[in-house]
């Protein structure tokens, strides 16, 4: 594997492969385990993640890289093998979530700012030694237009932090995934999502240029342009695809090798159908693939439910979702394949 940033970034998004976002912070993974009635302990978190990483068919065919949490990149499998070695043995690239979470932005109620820049240079050097070749930093942009959320200051502060993080990653020989997530939890329309996502991405690339980030050695992990969940509207995949690509053509430089979507709370098949529709109206200047957390893991989490006797079922569920999203990343998914597989 080449160590050039551009080669690593391209490998992350090529061949219909995508990223497994297994980087849930302690608070988030507890929420996921609460749904399946499993206690969130270090061993349970390790057993769950080891289950997916050992699904070698899925990992070698469909998963180009795995975004890990700090705990996970240091953990060993039950047999003592470092989890990072299991990922690499499948030909997948280990990555690491380095942000320290979104915290309230002083003076701007409802807005947050993602923290973690202080000491990041030293942390990145350690993560590189532990095997990470890409990193991820998530900025959270909420929408509550009645309360002036997001503020211009929130977008400016978050995109500046993303650029500072990305420059530090590239100095360390690590590909930065920049993740400006415009949340889909609100009651806003798809057009409001378009406007807020546009304002965020325009500012993000301004900041990345100013920070001298090499775009060819970076990956964008955005939300799709989609109605808020509380709007009561379910957009067609075709409308999401048309508006998402229209926006990206306006604001995402062609130098970016790939765009790897987060799922944001979309249902499993919805996230797959939307990704497929986006690729079906190609060709596009960038590869467009997945970097899903919930949309890849909800099914295997449910099938596993914390029982060693369910590991095969959990791996089958993970492999199926990874396979379907692989097809969607190539624009070759069809609903009928969900049953056939
Ligand atoms: O635990 P955090 O830092 O809130 O991150 C939550 C999740 O959001 C993501 O960025 C996207 O996940 P989803 O695909 O579930 O939206 C993941 O990488 C991460 O696991």
């Amino acid at each position: 594997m080449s160590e050039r940033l551009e080669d690593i970034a391209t490998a992350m998004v090529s061949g219909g492969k995508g990223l497994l976002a297994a980087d849930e912070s302690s608070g988030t993974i507890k929420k996921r385990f609460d749904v399946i009635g499993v206690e969130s302990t270090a061993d349970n978190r390790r057993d769950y993640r080891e289950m997916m990483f050992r699904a070698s068919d899925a990992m070698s065919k469909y998963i180009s890289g795995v975004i890990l949490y700090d705990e996970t990149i240091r953990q060993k499998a039950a047999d003592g093998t470092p989890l990072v070695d299991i990922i690499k043995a499948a030909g997948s690239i280990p990555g690491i979530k380095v942000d320290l979470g979104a915290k309230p932005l002083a003076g701007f109620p409802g807005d947050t700012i993602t923290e973690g820049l202080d000491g990041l240079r030293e942390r990145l050097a350690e993560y590189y030694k532990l095997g990470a070749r890409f990193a991820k930093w998530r900025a959270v942009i909420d929408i509550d237009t009645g309360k002036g959320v997001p503020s211009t200051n929130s977008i400016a502060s978050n995109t500046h932090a993303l650029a500072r993080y990305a420059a530090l990653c590239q100095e360390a020989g690590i590909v930065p995934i920049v993740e400006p997530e415009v949340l889909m939890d609100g009651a806003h329309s798809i057009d409001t999502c378009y406007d807020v996502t546009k304002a965020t991405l325009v500012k993000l690339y301004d900041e990345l240029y100013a920070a001298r980030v090499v775009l060819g050695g970076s990956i964008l992990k955005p939300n799709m342009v989609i109605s808020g969940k509380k709007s009561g509207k379910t957009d067609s995949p075709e409308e999401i695809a048309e508006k998402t690509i229209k926006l990206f053509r306006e604001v995402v430089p062609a130098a970016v090798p790939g765009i790897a979507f987060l799922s944001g709370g979309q249902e499993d098949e919805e996230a797959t159908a939307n990704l497929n529709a986006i690729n079906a109206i190609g060709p596009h200047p960038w590869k467009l693939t997945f970097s899903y957390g919930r949309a890849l893991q909800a099914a295997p989490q449910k099938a596993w439910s914390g029982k060693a006797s369910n590991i095969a079922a959990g791996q089958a569920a993970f492999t199926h979702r990874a396979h379907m999203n692989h097809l969607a990343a190539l624009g070759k998914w069809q609903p009928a394949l969900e049953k056939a597989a």
Side-chain angles (χ1 to χ4, degrees), residues 15-286:
K17 289 190 175 185
L19 301 168
L20 165 60
D23 61 312
E24 296 86 351
S25 54
S26 308
T28 300
I29 195 70
K30 182 183 183 312
K31 282 182 208 157
R32 306 286 188 261
F33 276 20
D34 286 349
V35 170
I36 55 172
V38 174
E39 193 189 355
S40 181
T41 64
D43 281 354
N44 282 344
R45 293 190 292 269
R46 188 278 313 279
D47 291 346
Y48 164 65
R49 284 152 169 169
E50 179 180 346
M51 172 187 77
M52 288 190 293
F53 303 161
R54 287 196 184 279
S56 46
D57 209 35
M59 291 294 293
S60 57
K61 288 182 186 171
Y62 313 130
I63 303 296
S64 56
V66 183
I67 314 175
L68 300 168
Y69 185 56
D70 180 83
E71 175 189 61
T72 321
I73 200 169
R74 302 169 192 279
Q75 276 180 322
K76 290 183 169 55
D79 69 1
T81 310
L83 293 179
V84 165
D85 290 353
I86 295 171
I87 292 166
K88 285 163 50 175
S92 192
I93 306 168
I96 182 76
K97 182 243 285 299
V98 297
D99 71 74
L100 298 181
K103 311 286 170 52
L105 180 63
F108 292 84
D111 282 325
T112 60
I113 179 69
T114 298
E115 298 185 345
L117 286 175
D118 291 349
L120 183 55
R121 174 174 276 127
E122 292 72 22
R123 291 175 61 217
L124 286 165
E126 186 197 13
Y127 287 138
Y128 185 93
K129 288 197 191 96
L130 288 169
R133 291 297 179 269
F134 68 87
K136 195 206 84 169
W137 178 290
R138 176 174 176 249
V140 178
I141 305 291
D142 204 351
I143 296 181
D144 187 344
T145 36
K147 295 193 178 123
V149 172
S151 63
T152 306
N153 183 48
S154 164
I155 292 175
S157 305
N158 276 290
T159 52
H160 178 76
L162 277 162
R164 294 260 309 279
Y165 139 82
L168 283 164
C169 285
Q170 296 194 334
E171 179 191 77
I174 287 175
V175 170
I177 297 177
V178 287
E179 181 181 11
E181 176 171 2
V182 176
L183 294 179
M184 64 180 285
D185 304 341
H188 54 275
S189 69
I190 190 169
D191 293 332
T192 298
C193 175
Y194 185 102
D195 295 341
V196 173
T197 304
K198 180 172 183 176
T200 302
L201 291 177
V202 165
K203 194 74 182 110
L204 175 61
Y205 283 99
D206 275 355
E207 290 288 339
L208 291 174
Y209 284 129
R212 298 178 179 165
V213 171
V214 177
L215 296 186
S218 73
I219 296 293
L220 175 64
K221 176 169 176 175
N223 53 283
M224 295 175 188
V225 176
I226 189 169
S227 296
K229 284 180 119 168
K230 298 190 184 85
S231 72
K233 180 170 178 286
T234 302
D235 312 306
S236 70
E238 292 68 30
E239 182 181 12
I240 290 168
E242 185 255 325
K243 291 187 172 173
T244 300
I245 290 301
K246 178 178 185 294
L247 173 58
F248 289 176
R249 285 184 170 276
E250 288 179 356
V251 300
V252 180
V256 174
I259 297 171
F261 291 101
L262 57 92
S263 47
Q266 295 175 50
E267 296 304 318
D268 294 0
E269 281 191 36
E270 181 190 6
T272 303
N274 291 336
L275 178 61
N276 188 68
I278 286 166
N279 280 299
I281 59 171
H284 301 305
W286 337 263

